[in-house]
Amino acid sequence: MAYLKPPLLVREVFNRIALATGISGTEKITVTGRRSHEPRSVPVVPVDVDGVRYLVSTRGESEWVRNLRASPEVDVSRRGHTVHYNAAEVPIADRDPIIAAYRAKAGRTVQGYWEKLPEPVDHPVFALTTG
């Protein structure tokens, strides 16, 4: 599986700003580290399609993806409101409409990721359910 490592500026500056402010529609996800068992938080842009909430990994096999596969529970927070979800990975054959909705929502910000990783297999997608 492919992975596009974020540049230092993104990791150390943008992600911190996004976590604190929610700019560009970002929300904070918190997952349990698969080795450390400590909470890990990153900014993402969730997308809703047909009444279901999804997480899409723009960068491929990221750490949050690996952590979510190991422990499929995630907290999604925005402006002090947190919802606990169970995550299930969406089969590759079912990802196209979700990825299309995600790309429309996130806009030009994510275009470069699909130029470098054009196939749906390169972008893990998780459906979120409560309860």
Side-chain angles (χ1 to χ4, degrees), residues 3 5-16:
Y3 174 61
K5 185 175 182 179
L8 181 64
L9 182 65
V10 170
R11 289 191 318 265
E12 297 298 324
V13 178
F14 177 78
N15 282 355
R16 291 177 191 217

Side-chain angles (χ1 to χ4, degrees), residues 47 52-57 60 62 64-70 72 74 86-90 95 98 123-129:
V47 64
V52 178
R53 184 154 247 223
Y54 295 94
L55 299 177
V56 176
S57 178
S62 63
W64 72 260
V65 166
R66 293 174 185 165
N67 290 335
L68 198 52
R69 284 178 178 147
V74 59
N86 292 311
E89 192 159 2
V90 174
R95 292 180 184 174
I98 301 159
H123 300 280
V125 175
F126 294 87
L128 305 179
T129 55

Side-chain angles (χ1 to χ4, degrees), residues 73-97:
E73 295 185 25
V74 59
D75 289 331
V76 180
S77 305
R78 181 163 176 98
R79 296 190 177 128
H81 178 70
T82 301
V83 178
H84 182 79
Y85 293 99
N86 292 311
E89 192 159 2
V90 174
I92 296 163
D94 299 336
R95 292 180 184 174
D96 282 340

Side-chain angles (χ1 to χ4, degrees), residues 24-25 44-58 90 94-111 114 120 123 125-126:
S24 300
V44 297
V45 177
V47 64
D48 297 308
V49 177
D50 297 330
V52 178
R53 184 154 247 223
Y54 295 94
L55 299 177
V56 176
S57 178
T58 57
V90 174
D94 299 336
R95 292 180 184 174
D96 282 340
I98 301 159
I99 289 173
Y102 176 86
R103 291 180 71 183
K105 179 179 181 181
R108 289 181 6 171
T109 306
V110 301
Q111 182 61 32
W114 270 269
H123 300 280
V125 175
F126 294 87

